[in-house]
Amino acid sequence: GPAPPTPLTLRDLVQNGTIDVECAATLWASLAQHRSLTIIGGPSGLGKSTLLHTLLPALPEGRYRLYLRGCYETFAFQDDHCFSPANTTLLANEISPHLPIYLWGQAVQRTLAAGEAGHQLLATAHGRSIMEFAASLTGSPLRVPARLLAAIGLVTLIEPVAGGVERRVSELWQLSATRSGASIDQLGPGDLPTGVTAAHVAAARAAMLPMLGQDLVPPGAVAPANPGEKCGVPSVARSATHLEQTLAGE
């Protein structure tokens, strides 16, 4: 949908209920720790790109941001030693065939291969669930090898609520490599992404304080107010799915 006259800020998204402070701090800490993230959701206009944009200040100073050019992308950065995996973040407007500037075709697999090599990947994509999103990559026509899904790192789902008038981040998943493909694990109560600690989240909360304000992040807050709920994920049992190479259409 059309962009709002004034881009929404992270404070706006917290105030309107799109994301809570603890979820924002977890995602902020994850980006700061070089974790990759894709924000998915069903219909256009949910705010996937807006949410991703508000998290970009979490990237460390001095990090290169390379915006991939969809079907026009040459991947020449892979031959430039300045853009090493350790200091470069790759950003994709969207993983879909809808516009030439979006990633699709062989560019998707090449991007995930760059992620497998260590580049941080930040993107948005359509998908009403983690499995629908994964199937859009491993199924026809892309047929991405299941092992490359691990390069996606983290996936958060944003869904419409209250009859579609509002939206909310509702799930956080972690994709990891296995011997035969990839494991997709939902992060539930008390879980943090691999490589992210409680200290990292506390530091993220402190970094977010100037833009959120003390009314949203009390200065003394160092732990979730409700440890049983994290990132909008209700207190339910953790679930996991394993995608093997045979499920990727190989």
Side-chain angles (χ1 to χ4, degrees), residues 78-111:
Q78 293 179 307
D79 298 320
D80 190 330
H81 296 300
C82 291
F83 303 118
S84 69
N87 69 1
T88 305
T89 296
L90 307 180
L91 297 106
N93 288 305
E94 184 173 296
I95 301 174
S96 83
H98 296 160
L99 290 174
I101 60 170
Y102 293 165
L103 278 184
W104 198 244
Q106 286 299 312
V108 175
Q109 187 160 322
R110 293 188 68 178
T111 299

PDB file of all heavy atoms in Angstrom, residues 78-111:
ATOM      1  N   GLN A  78      30.626  -9.624  -3.947  1.00  0.00           N
ATOM      2  CA  GLN A  78      31.302 -10.828  -3.459  1.00  0.00           C
ATOM      3  C   GLN A  78      32.755 -10.875  -3.901  1.00  0.00           C
ATOM      4  O   GLN A  78      33.556 -11.616  -3.326  1.00  0.00           O
ATOM      5  CB  GLN A  78      30.560 -12.074  -3.930  1.00  0.00           C
ATOM      6  CG  GLN A  78      29.176 -12.223  -3.292  1.00  0.00           C
ATOM      7  CD  GLN A  78      28.435 -13.443  -3.764  1.00  0.00           C
ATOM      8  OE1 GLN A  78      28.279 -13.657  -4.964  1.00  0.00           O
ATOM      9  NE2 GLN A  78      27.972 -14.261  -2.827  1.00  0.00           N
ATOM     10  N   ASP A  79      33.095 -10.084  -4.919  1.00  0.00           N
ATOM     11  CA  ASP A  79      34.481 -10.034  -5.396  1.00  0.00           C
ATOM     12  C   ASP A  79      35.231  -8.818  -4.867  1.00  0.00           C
ATOM     13  O   ASP A  79      36.392  -8.598  -5.217  1.00  0.00           O
ATOM     14  CB  ASP A  79      34.509 -10.000  -6.930  1.00  0.00           C
ATOM     15  CG  ASP A  79      33.886 -11.247  -7.540  1.00  0.00           C
ATOM     16  OD1 ASP A  79      34.118 -12.347  -6.998  1.00  0.00           O
ATOM     17  OD2 ASP A  79      33.156 -11.115  -8.551  1.00  0.00           O
ATOM     18  N   ASP A  80      34.543  -8.017  -4.024  1.00  0.00           N
ATOM     19  CA  ASP A  80      35.153  -6.816  -3.461  1.00  0.00           C
ATOM     20  C   ASP A  80      35.488  -7.080  -1.996  1.00  0.00           C
ATOM     21  O   ASP A  80      34.605  -7.291  -1.173  1.00  0.00           O
ATOM     22  CB  ASP A  80      34.176  -5.641  -3.574  1.00  0.00           C
ATOM     23  CG  ASP A  80      34.819  -4.305  -3.240  1.00  0.00           C
ATOM     24  OD1 ASP A  80      35.753  -4.284  -2.415  1.00  0.00           O
ATOM     25  OD2 ASP A  80      34.364  -3.281  -3.796  1.00  0.00           O
ATOM     26  N   HIS A  81      36.775  -7.063  -1.675  1.00  0.00           N
ATOM     27  CA  HIS A  81      37.209  -7.391  -0.320  1.00  0.00           C
ATOM     28  C   HIS A  81      36.725  -6.368   0.714  1.00  0.00           C
ATOM     29  O   HIS A  81      36.751  -6.651   1.916  1.00  0.00           O
ATOM     30  CB  HIS A  81      38.736  -7.504  -0.270  1.00  0.00           C
ATOM     31  CG  HIS A  81      39.274  -8.623  -1.110  1.00  0.00           C
ATOM     32  ND1 HIS A  81      38.930  -9.938  -0.905  1.00  0.00           N
ATOM     33  CD2 HIS A  81      40.117  -8.612  -2.177  1.00  0.00           C
ATOM     34  CE1 HIS A  81      39.547 -10.701  -1.791  1.00  0.00           C
ATOM     35  NE2 HIS A  81      40.268  -9.925  -2.577  1.00  0.00           N
ATOM     36  N   CYS A  82      36.299  -5.203   0.269  1.00  0.00           N
ATOM     37  CA  CYS A  82      35.783  -4.206   1.212  1.00  0.00           C
ATOM     38  C   CYS A  82      34.491  -4.687   1.866  1.00  0.00           C
ATOM     39  O   CYS A  82      34.194  -4.335   3.006  1.00  0.00           O
ATOM     40  CB  CYS A  82      35.531  -2.878   0.499  1.00  0.00           C
ATOM     41  SG  CYS A  82      37.010  -2.016  -0.029  1.00  0.00           S
ATOM     42  N   PHE A  83      33.718  -5.490   1.112  1.00  0.00           N
ATOM     43  CA  PHE A  83      32.419  -5.930   1.600  1.00  0.00           C
ATOM     44  C   PHE A  83      32.502  -7.372   2.109  1.00  0.00           C
ATOM     45  O   PHE A  83      31.893  -8.283   1.556  1.00  0.00           O
ATOM     46  CB  PHE A  83      31.364  -5.803   0.501  1.00  0.00           C
ATOM     47  CG  PHE A  83      31.237  -4.411  -0.059  1.00  0.00           C
ATOM     48  CD1 PHE A  83      31.506  -4.150  -1.393  1.00  0.00           C
ATOM     49  CD2 PHE A  83      30.866  -3.364   0.768  1.00  0.00           C
ATOM     50  CE1 PHE A  83      31.396  -2.866  -1.901  1.00  0.00           C
ATOM     51  CE2 PHE A  83      30.748  -2.073   0.268  1.00  0.00           C
ATOM     52  CZ  PHE A  83      31.023  -1.824  -1.074  1.00  0.00           C
ATOM     53  N   SER A  84      33.255  -7.546   3.154  1.00  0.00           N
ATOM     54  CA  SER A  84      33.412  -8.880   3.724  1.00  0.00           C
ATOM     55  C   SER A  84      32.146  -9.266   4.475  1.00  0.00           C
ATOM     56  O   SER A  84      31.367  -8.405   4.918  1.00  0.00           O
ATOM     57  CB  SER A  84      34.598  -8.918   4.677  1.00  0.00           C
ATOM     58  OG  SER A  84      34.319  -8.159   5.847  1.00  0.00           O
ATOM     59  N   PRO A  85      31.888 -10.563   4.656  1.00  0.00           N
ATOM     60  CA  PRO A  85      30.705 -10.990   5.414  1.00  0.00           C
ATOM     61  C   PRO A  85      30.652 -10.401   6.817  1.00  0.00           C
ATOM     62  O   PRO A  85      29.569 -10.148   7.352  1.00  0.00           O
ATOM     63  CB  PRO A  85      30.852 -12.515   5.451  1.00  0.00           C
ATOM     64  CG  PRO A  85      31.623 -12.844   4.215  1.00  0.00           C
ATOM     65  CD  PRO A  85      32.601 -11.712   4.056  1.00  0.00           C
ATOM     66  N   ALA A  86      31.815 -10.157   7.411  1.00  0.00           N
ATOM     67  CA  ALA A  86      31.849  -9.671   8.794  1.00  0.00           C
ATOM     68  C   ALA A  86      31.384  -8.231   8.930  1.00  0.00           C
ATOM     69  O   ALA A  86      30.942  -7.830  10.014  1.00  0.00           O
ATOM     70  CB  ALA A  86      33.259  -9.822   9.362  1.00  0.00           C
ATOM     71  N   ASN A  87      31.488  -7.429   7.847  1.00  0.00           N
ATOM     72  CA  ASN A  87      31.155  -6.002   7.993  1.00  0.00           C
ATOM     73  C   ASN A  87      30.081  -5.529   7.016  1.00  0.00           C
ATOM     74  O   ASN A  87      29.923  -4.335   6.809  1.00  0.00           O
ATOM     75  CB  ASN A  87      32.419  -5.147   7.821  1.00  0.00           C
ATOM     76  CG  ASN A  87      32.958  -5.140   6.393  1.00  0.00           C
ATOM     77  OD1 ASN A  87      32.384  -5.762   5.502  1.00  0.00           O
ATOM     78  ND2 ASN A  87      34.058  -4.457   6.176  1.00  0.00           N
ATOM     79  N   THR A  88      29.319  -6.471   6.444  1.00  0.00           N
ATOM     80  CA  THR A  88      28.341  -6.097   5.424  1.00  0.00           C
ATOM     81  C   THR A  88      26.981  -6.719   5.700  1.00  0.00           C
ATOM     82  O   THR A  88      26.887  -7.910   6.012  1.00  0.00           O
ATOM     83  CB  THR A  88      28.822  -6.541   4.025  1.00  0.00           C
ATOM     84  OG1 THR A  88      30.118  -5.997   3.773  1.00  0.00           O
ATOM     85  CG2 THR A  88      27.862  -6.071   2.946  1.00  0.00           C
ATOM     86  N   THR A  89      25.960  -5.899   5.580  1.00  0.00           N
ATOM     87  CA  THR A  89      24.577  -6.368   5.699  1.00  0.00           C
ATOM     88  C   THR A  89      23.905  -6.239   4.341  1.00  0.00           C
ATOM     89  O   THR A  89      23.969  -5.178   3.708  1.00  0.00           O
ATOM     90  CB  THR A  89      23.798  -5.538   6.742  1.00  0.00           C
ATOM     91  OG1 THR A  89      24.395  -5.733   8.028  1.00  0.00           O
ATOM     92  CG2 THR A  89      22.338  -5.962   6.797  1.00  0.00           C
ATOM     93  N   LEU A  90      23.279  -7.315   3.890  1.00  0.00           N
ATOM     94  CA  LEU A  90      22.556  -7.314   2.623  1.00  0.00           C
ATOM     95  C   LEU A  90      21.076  -7.088   2.901  1.00  0.00           C
ATOM     96  O   LEU A  90      20.481  -7.777   3.736  1.00  0.00           O
ATOM     97  CB  LEU A  90      22.749  -8.643   1.898  1.00  0.00           C
ATOM     98  CG  LEU A  90      24.197  -9.099   1.677  1.00  0.00           C
ATOM     99  CD1 LEU A  90      24.223 -10.437   0.947  1.00  0.00           C
ATOM    100  CD2 LEU A  90      24.991  -8.047   0.911  1.00  0.00           C
ATOM    101  N   LEU A  91      20.475  -6.127   2.216  1.00  0.00           N
ATOM    102  CA  LEU A  91      19.064  -5.797   2.428  1.00  0.00           C
ATOM    103  C   LEU A  91      18.273  -6.041   1.154  1.00  0.00           C
ATOM    104  O   LEU A  91      18.678  -5.598   0.071  1.00  0.00           O
ATOM    105  CB  LEU A  91      18.903  -4.348   2.867  1.00  0.00           C
ATOM    106  CG  LEU A  91      19.558  -4.007   4.213  1.00  0.00           C
ATOM    107  CD1 LEU A  91      20.826  -3.187   3.987  1.00  0.00           C
ATOM    108  CD2 LEU A  91      18.605  -3.246   5.105  1.00  0.00           C
ATOM    109  N   ALA A  92      17.173  -6.752   1.292  1.00  0.00           N
ATOM    110  CA  ALA A  92      16.282  -7.036   0.156  1.00  0.00           C
ATOM    111  C   ALA A  92      14.928  -6.405   0.422  1.00  0.00           C
ATOM    112  O   ALA A  92      14.325  -6.622   1.476  1.00  0.00           O
ATOM    113  CB  ALA A  92      16.134  -8.538  -0.045  1.00  0.00           C
ATOM    114  N   ASN A  93      14.450  -5.608  -0.534  1.00  0.00           N
ATOM    115  CA  ASN A  93      13.141  -4.980  -0.371  1.00  0.00           C
ATOM    116  C   ASN A  93      12.065  -6.023  -0.107  1.00  0.00           C
ATOM    117  O   ASN A  93      11.220  -5.849   0.779  1.00  0.00           O
ATOM    118  CB  ASN A  93      12.776  -4.190  -1.632  1.00  0.00           C
ATOM    119  CG  ASN A  93      13.589  -2.924  -1.778  1.00  0.00           C
ATOM    120  OD1 ASN A  93      13.618  -2.108  -0.885  1.00  0.00           O
ATOM    121  ND2 ASN A  93      14.263  -2.781  -2.910  1.00  0.00           N
ATOM    122  N   GLU A  94      12.119  -7.112  -0.870  1.00  0.00           N
ATOM    123  CA  GLU A  94      11.120  -8.175  -0.712  1.00  0.00           C
ATOM    124  C   GLU A  94      11.577  -9.389  -1.504  1.00  0.00           C
ATOM    125  O   GLU A  94      12.224  -9.261  -2.555  1.00  0.00           O
ATOM    126  CB  GLU A  94       9.756  -7.701  -1.214  1.00  0.00           C
ATOM    127  CG  GLU A  94       8.627  -8.702  -1.008  1.00  0.00           C
ATOM    128  CD  GLU A  94       7.273  -8.112  -1.378  1.00  0.00           C
ATOM    129  OE1 GLU A  94       6.849  -7.144  -0.697  1.00  0.00           O
ATOM    130  OE2 GLU A  94       6.642  -8.608  -2.338  1.00  0.00           O
ATOM    131  N   ILE A  95      11.273 -10.569  -0.982  1.00  0.00           N
ATOM    132  CA  ILE A  95      11.519 -11.803  -1.720  1.00  0.00           C
ATOM    133  C   ILE A  95      10.202 -12.182  -2.388  1.00  0.00           C
ATOM    134  O   ILE A  95       9.285 -12.716  -1.761  1.00  0.00           O
ATOM    135  CB  ILE A  95      11.992 -12.931  -0.788  1.00  0.00           C
ATOM    136  CG1 ILE A  95      13.288 -12.517  -0.070  1.00  0.00           C
ATOM    137  CG2 ILE A  95      12.220 -14.222  -1.573  1.00  0.00           C
ATOM    138  CD1 ILE A  95      13.749 -13.510   0.980  1.00  0.00           C
ATOM    139  N   SER A  96      10.080 -11.858  -3.661  1.00  0.00           N
ATOM    140  CA  SER A  96       8.846 -12.147  -4.401  1.00  0.00           C
ATOM    141  C   SER A  96       9.066 -11.807  -5.873  1.00  0.00           C
ATOM    142  O   SER A  96      10.007 -11.086  -6.216  1.00  0.00           O
ATOM    143  CB  SER A  96       7.666 -11.323  -3.855  1.00  0.00           C
ATOM    144  OG  SER A  96       7.656 -10.014  -4.400  1.00  0.00           O
ATOM    145  N   PRO A  97       8.180 -12.288  -6.749  1.00  0.00           N
ATOM    146  CA  PRO A  97       8.303 -11.975  -8.176  1.00  0.00           C
ATOM    147  C   PRO A  97       7.511 -10.746  -8.594  1.00  0.00           C
ATOM    148  O   PRO A  97       7.368 -10.479  -9.791  1.00  0.00           O
ATOM    149  CB  PRO A  97       7.720 -13.241  -8.831  1.00  0.00           C
ATOM    150  CG  PRO A  97       6.646 -13.667  -7.884  1.00  0.00           C
ATOM    151  CD  PRO A  97       7.157 -13.327  -6.505  1.00  0.00           C
ATOM    152  N   HIS A  98       6.993  -9.969  -7.652  1.00  0.00           N
ATOM    153  CA  HIS A  98       6.036  -8.911  -7.973  1.00  0.00           C
ATOM    154  C   HIS A  98       6.642  -7.739  -8.721  1.00  0.00           C
ATOM    155  O   HIS A  98       5.966  -7.122  -9.541  1.00  0.00           O
ATOM    156  CB  HIS A  98       5.357  -8.428  -6.686  1.00  0.00           C
ATOM    157  CG  HIS A  98       4.539  -9.488  -6.016  1.00  0.00           C
ATOM    158  ND1 HIS A  98       4.181  -9.439  -4.688  1.00  0.00           N
ATOM    159  CD2 HIS A  98       3.995 -10.643  -6.497  1.00  0.00           C
ATOM    160  CE1 HIS A  98       3.468 -10.511  -4.378  1.00  0.00           C
ATOM    161  NE2 HIS A  98       3.338 -11.243  -5.460  1.00  0.00           N
ATOM    162  N   LEU A  99       7.890  -7.385  -8.427  1.00  0.00           N
ATOM    163  CA  LEU A  99       8.538  -6.257  -9.098  1.00  0.00           C
ATOM    164  C   LEU A  99       9.974  -6.639  -9.452  1.00  0.00           C
ATOM    165  O   LEU A  99      10.590  -7.449  -8.748  1.00  0.00           O
ATOM    166  CB  LEU A  99       8.544  -5.015  -8.197  1.00  0.00           C
ATOM    167  CG  LEU A  99       7.209  -4.317  -7.929  1.00  0.00           C
ATOM    168  CD1 LEU A  99       7.398  -3.203  -6.902  1.00  0.00           C
ATOM    169  CD2 LEU A  99       6.626  -3.748  -9.213  1.00  0.00           C
ATOM    170  N   PRO A 100      10.538  -6.039 -10.490  1.00  0.00           N
ATOM    171  CA  PRO A 100      11.920  -6.373 -10.868  1.00  0.00           C
ATOM    172  C   PRO A 100      12.945  -6.078  -9.776  1.00  0.00           C
ATOM    173  O   PRO A 100      14.003  -6.712  -9.737  1.00  0.00           O
ATOM    174  CB  PRO A 100      12.166  -5.488 -12.102  1.00  0.00           C
ATOM    175  CG  PRO A 100      10.809  -5.219 -12.658  1.00  0.00           C
ATOM    176  CD  PRO A 100       9.909  -5.136 -11.475  1.00  0.00           C
ATOM    177  N   ILE A 101      12.649  -5.110  -8.891  1.00  0.00           N
ATOM    178  CA  ILE A 101      13.615  -4.776  -7.846  1.00  0.00           C
ATOM    179  C   ILE A 101      13.539  -5.749  -6.668  1.00  0.00           C
ATOM    180  O   ILE A 101      14.343  -5.675  -5.747  1.00  0.00           O
ATOM    181  CB  ILE A 101      13.415  -3.336  -7.331  1.00  0.00           C
ATOM    182  CG1 ILE A 101      12.014  -3.161  -6.738  1.00  0.00           C
ATOM    183  CG2 ILE A 101      13.704  -2.327  -8.429  1.00  0.00           C
ATOM    184  CD1 ILE A 101      11.838  -1.839  -6.002  1.00  0.00           C
ATOM    185  N   TYR A 102      12.569  -6.667  -6.692  1.00  0.00           N
ATOM    186  CA  TYR A 102      12.459  -7.670  -5.638  1.00  0.00           C
ATOM    187  C   TYR A 102      13.286  -8.894  -6.004  1.00  0.00           C
ATOM    188  O   TYR A 102      13.513  -9.185  -7.184  1.00  0.00           O
ATOM    189  CB  TYR A 102      11.000  -8.083  -5.437  1.00  0.00           C
ATOM    190  CG  TYR A 102      10.103  -7.003  -4.894  1.00  0.00           C
ATOM    191  CD1 TYR A 102       8.716  -7.138  -4.954  1.00  0.00           C
ATOM    192  CD2 TYR A 102      10.620  -5.849  -4.316  1.00  0.00           C
ATOM    193  CE1 TYR A 102       7.873  -6.161  -4.455  1.00  0.00           C
ATOM    194  CE2 TYR A 102       9.784  -4.871  -3.817  1.00  0.00           C
ATOM    195  CZ  TYR A 102       8.408  -5.027  -3.895  1.00  0.00           C
ATOM    196  OH  TYR A 102       7.579  -4.051  -3.397  1.00  0.00           O
ATOM    197  N   LEU A 103      13.730  -9.612  -4.992  1.00  0.00           N
ATOM    198  CA  LEU A 103      14.526 -10.814  -5.214  1.00  0.00           C
ATOM    199  C   LEU A 103      13.645 -11.964  -5.679  1.00  0.00           C
ATOM    200  O   LEU A 103      12.621 -12.261  -5.051  1.00  0.00           O
ATOM    201  CB  LEU A 103      15.225 -11.231  -3.917  1.00  0.00           C
ATOM    202  CG  LEU A 103      16.528 -10.548  -3.521  1.00  0.00           C
ATOM    203  CD1 LEU A 103      17.079 -11.199  -2.268  1.00  0.00           C
ATOM    204  CD2 LEU A 103      17.550 -10.571  -4.640  1.00  0.00           C
ATOM    205  N   TRP A 104      14.069 -12.631  -6.748  1.00  0.00           N
ATOM    206  CA  TRP A 104      13.370 -13.827  -7.206  1.00  0.00           C
ATOM    207  C   TRP A 104      14.307 -14.605  -8.120  1.00  0.00           C
ATOM    208  O   TRP A 104      15.400 -14.133  -8.463  1.00  0.00           O
ATOM    209  CB  TRP A 104      12.079 -13.458  -7.928  1.00  0.00           C
ATOM    210  CG  TRP A 104      11.109 -14.608  -8.032  1.00  0.00           C
ATOM    211  CD1 TRP A 104      10.665 -15.232  -9.167  1.00  0.00           C
ATOM    212  CD2 TRP A 104      10.461 -15.279  -6.940  1.00  0.00           C
ATOM    213  NE1 TRP A 104       9.787 -16.231  -8.856  1.00  0.00           N
ATOM    214  CE2 TRP A 104       9.646 -16.284  -7.492  1.00  0.00           C
ATOM    215  CE3 TRP A 104      10.506 -15.127  -5.561  1.00  0.00           C
ATOM    216  CZ2 TRP A 104       8.871 -17.140  -6.708  1.00  0.00           C
ATOM    217  CZ3 TRP A 104       9.744 -15.959  -4.767  1.00  0.00           C
ATOM    218  CH2 TRP A 104       8.937 -16.951  -5.340  1.00  0.00           C
ATOM    219  N   GLY A 105      13.898 -15.774  -8.489  1.00  0.00           N
ATOM    220  CA  GLY A 105      14.720 -16.588  -9.375  1.00  0.00           C
ATOM    221  C   GLY A 105      16.041 -16.977  -8.728  1.00  0.00           C
ATOM    222  O   GLY A 105      16.145 -17.196  -7.525  1.00  0.00           O
ATOM    223  N   GLN A 106      17.060 -17.050  -9.566  1.00  0.00           N
ATOM    224  CA  GLN A 106      18.385 -17.461  -9.092  1.00  0.00           C
ATOM    225  C   GLN A 106      18.969 -16.489  -8.080  1.00  0.00           C
ATOM    226  O   GLN A 106      19.824 -16.861  -7.269  1.00  0.00           O
ATOM    227  CB  GLN A 106      19.339 -17.612 -10.280  1.00  0.00           C
ATOM    228  CG  GLN A 106      19.099 -18.842 -11.117  1.00  0.00           C
ATOM    229  CD  GLN A 106      19.286 -20.120 -10.314  1.00  0.00           C
ATOM    230  OE1 GLN A 106      20.279 -20.286  -9.604  1.00  0.00           O
ATOM    231  NE2 GLN A 106      18.314 -21.018 -10.409  1.00  0.00           N
ATOM    232  N   ALA A 107      18.484 -15.246  -8.099  1.00  0.00           N
ATOM    233  CA  ALA A 107      19.006 -14.257  -7.151  1.00  0.00           C
ATOM    234  C   ALA A 107      18.707 -14.653  -5.705  1.00  0.00           C
ATOM    235  O   ALA A 107      19.471 -14.326  -4.792  1.00  0.00           O
ATOM    236  CB  ALA A 107      18.421 -12.878  -7.450  1.00  0.00           C
ATOM    237  N   VAL A 108      17.593 -15.359  -5.484  1.00  0.00           N
ATOM    238  CA  VAL A 108      17.251 -15.788  -4.121  1.00  0.00           C
ATOM    239  C   VAL A 108      18.284 -16.786  -3.618  1.00  0.00           C
ATOM    240  O   VAL A 108      18.827 -16.657  -2.516  1.00  0.00           O
ATOM    241  CB  VAL A 108      15.841 -16.410  -4.083  1.00  0.00           C
ATOM    242  CG1 VAL A 108      15.555 -16.969  -2.700  1.00  0.00           C
ATOM    243  CG2 VAL A 108      14.794 -15.372  -4.474  1.00  0.00           C
ATOM    244  N   GLN A 109      18.590 -17.789  -4.435  1.00  0.00           N
ATOM    245  CA  GLN A 109      19.554 -18.803  -4.015  1.00  0.00           C
ATOM    246  C   GLN A 109      20.942 -18.202  -3.847  1.00  0.00           C
ATOM    247  O   GLN A 109      21.671 -18.549  -2.911  1.00  0.00           O
ATOM    248  CB  GLN A 109      19.591 -19.953  -5.025  1.00  0.00           C
ATOM    249  CG  GLN A 109      20.442 -21.130  -4.565  1.00  0.00           C
ATOM    250  CD  GLN A 109      20.097 -22.407  -5.311  1.00  0.00           C
ATOM    251  OE1 GLN A 109      18.936 -22.660  -5.607  1.00  0.00           O
ATOM    252  NE2 GLN A 109      21.104 -23.207  -5.590  1.00  0.00           N
ATOM    253  N   ARG A 110      21.334 -17.284  -4.721  1.00  0.00           N
ATOM    254  CA  ARG A 110      22.653 -16.650  -4.596  1.00  0.00           C
ATOM    255  C   ARG A 110      22.733 -15.795  -3.336  1.00  0.00           C
ATOM    256  O   ARG A 110      23.771 -15.740  -2.685  1.00  0.00           O
ATOM    257  CB  ARG A 110      22.959 -15.804  -5.840  1.00  0.00           C
ATOM    258  CG  ARG A 110      23.144 -16.611  -7.104  1.00  0.00           C
ATOM    259  CD  ARG A 110      23.624 -15.755  -8.258  1.00  0.00           C
ATOM    260  NE  ARG A 110      24.987 -15.277  -8.034  1.00  0.00           N
ATOM    261  CZ  ARG A 110      25.664 -14.529  -8.918  1.00  0.00           C
ATOM    262  NH1 ARG A 110      25.069 -14.163 -10.056  1.00  0.00           N
ATOM    263  NH2 ARG A 110      26.889 -14.135  -8.660  1.00  0.00           N
ATOM    264  N   THR A 111      21.628 -15.144  -2.994  1.00  0.00           N
ATOM    265  CA  THR A 111      21.606 -14.336  -1.770  1.00  0.00           C
ATOM    266  C   THR A 111      21.721 -15.224  -0.538  1.00  0.00           C
ATOM    267  O   THR A 111      22.467 -14.921   0.400  1.00  0.00           O
ATOM    268  CB  THR A 111      20.315 -13.504  -1.702  1.00  0.00           C
ATOM    269  OG1 THR A 111      20.262 -12.620  -2.832  1.00  0.00           O
ATOM    270  CG2 THR A 111      20.263 -12.681  -0.425  1.00  0.00           C
TER     271      THR A 111
END
